[in-house]
Amino acid sequence: GLISCEVPYSFYNVDDPKNKISFRRQTAVGGFIADYDLILPRQNYDVNTILSKFNALFTQNNMSMVSSFDDDTNRFTFNSSTTDKFIITSTTLNKTIGLPITSIPTASGTTFTCPNVCQMTGTSSIYINCVNLSISNLDSRGDLNGTICKLPIECDPTSFIYYRATENNYYLTNNRTITHFHITITDDDNQELELNGCDFSLGLNIHFVKKREQPIKTPYLLGNNTGEEIITKKKTKTKK
């Protein structure tokens, strides 16, 4: 069981692989012009910086597009600056820009507003996993894996995420021999977090239970194929 943990909040809210978006540019009548695969640099973004990066990438690729943000609805909008149409064909920025997988590919048009509110905070929790042991826990994401603890993020970036167990929770494993622990830290989407060179530490409490030998409840000799029963003889005293 996990008894303590210190993880630096050094990971970004936009990181690989969740930093990609692809567009298909079309003519006014729907003819194909070109496909564009845009990758945002790995870093922390807010609404203003991600808008600036989108528009810079549009300009670099001569896409004749511009992005905007509505402060009242907290939604992103993409617009074509000409009569050309576009389609968002894929993205891994689903939660960040509020574009669910079910809305992709988008309809062809000169403007598109993401249906969901953006989520610029990144992952809401981190998950501590021990992947090399036969632990099968059902976590809050619905995954059956080696998760031993979920830690909500309650601090600012560049701070530490602390955990101190208030009660001991133990998880049974069938491994008879343990040579090492393979620990991973994942986000809400079960993607491993990149700590960017920073180290984490944790404390584990391990209990070993000796497996009892199965008692042999039989009156027969071991290895005796005849099945002859062992009869114990009692000595009797004779009166004179």
Side-chain angles (χ1 to χ4, degrees):
L2 184 69
I3 58 175
S4 65
C5 187
E6 298 86 29
V7 179
Y9 192 170
S10 58
F11 44 89
Y12 301 136
N13 64 343
V14 174
D15 207 341
D16 184 51
K18 295 185 289 185
N19 61 339
K20 303 174 178 65
I21 186 167
S22 298
F23 293 85
R24 172 165 294 177
R25 191 177 172 193
Q26 299 176 319
T27 64
V29 294
F32 173 79
I33 297 178
D35 285 331
Y36 304 90
D37 298 321
L38 307 183
I39 300 177
L40 272 65
R42 300 173 54 250
Q43 65 179 65
N44 286 323
Y45 290 90
D46 58 22
V47 169
N48 294 324
T49 54
I50 201 170
L51 276 178
S52 297
K53 182 56 65 176
F54 275 137
N55 291 328
L57 290 173
F58 293 155
T59 301
Q60 291 172 16
N61 291 275
N62 299 316
M63 295 174 61
S64 300
M65 289 182 60
V66 65
S67 61
S68 59
F69 183 78
D70 191 325
D71 291 324
D72 295 326
T73 62
N74 292 331
R75 286 179 169 86
F76 284 98
T77 297
F78 299 93
N79 293 288
S80 174
S81 54
T82 66
T83 57
D84 292 342
K85 297 180 179 180
F86 66 89
I87 298 173
I88 301 177
T89 55
S90 67
T91 185
T92 55
L93 289 161
N94 304 92
K95 292 181 180 180
T96 304
I97 63 175
L99 181 55
I101 297 176
T102 53
S103 298
I104 298 174
T106 62
S108 177
T110 59
T111 184
F112 177 78
T113 299
C114 296
N116 292 347
V117 170
C118 69
Q119 182 180 324
M120 300 299 299
T121 55
T123 184
S124 62
S125 303
I126 62 173
Y127 299 77
I128 310 298
N129 312 278
C130 191
V131 299
N132 67 310
L133 301 183
S134 58
I135 300 174
S136 296
N137 293 334
L138 184 65
D139 63 25
S140 59
R141 299 169 296 195
D143 296 325
L144 194 64
N145 51 38
T147 299
I148 57 176
C149 191
K150 172 188 176 183
L151 307 181
I153 299 176
E154 299 175 330
C155 64
D156 296 326
T158 70
S159 301
F160 267 88
I161 304 167
Y162 291 102
Y163 171 77
R164 295 291 183 272
T166 56
E167 60 179 343
N168 293 326
N169 294 312
Y170 297 102
Y171 306 102
L172 183 66
T173 176
N174 293 323
N175 297 72
R176 299 295 299 273
T177 302
I178 299 175
T179 59
H180 68 284
F181 296 98
H182 182 184
I183 303 296
T184 62
I185 302 177
T186 57
D187 62 10
D188 291 330
D189 298 317
N190 204 22
Q191 296 284 341
E192 285 195 35
L193 291 172
E194 173 58 59
L195 300 183
N196 297 302
C198 296
D199 297 324
F200 69 92
S201 63
L202 55 84
L204 296 173
N205 194 356
I206 303 169
H207 287 194
F208 293 91
V209 179
K210 182 178 180 181
K211 187 176 182 180
R212 295 182 179 180
E213 298 293 337
Q214 184 68 26
I216 302 174
K217 299 180 180 180
T218 176
Y220 300 92
L221 285 171
L222 292 176
N224 184 5
N225 297 326
T226 61
E228 295 180 355
E229 187 173 357
I230 302 173
I231 302 175
T232 57
K233 296 182 180 180
K234 295 182 180 181
K235 293 182 179 181
T236 57
K237 291 182 179 181
T238 57
K239 293 182 180 181
K240 292 183 179 181

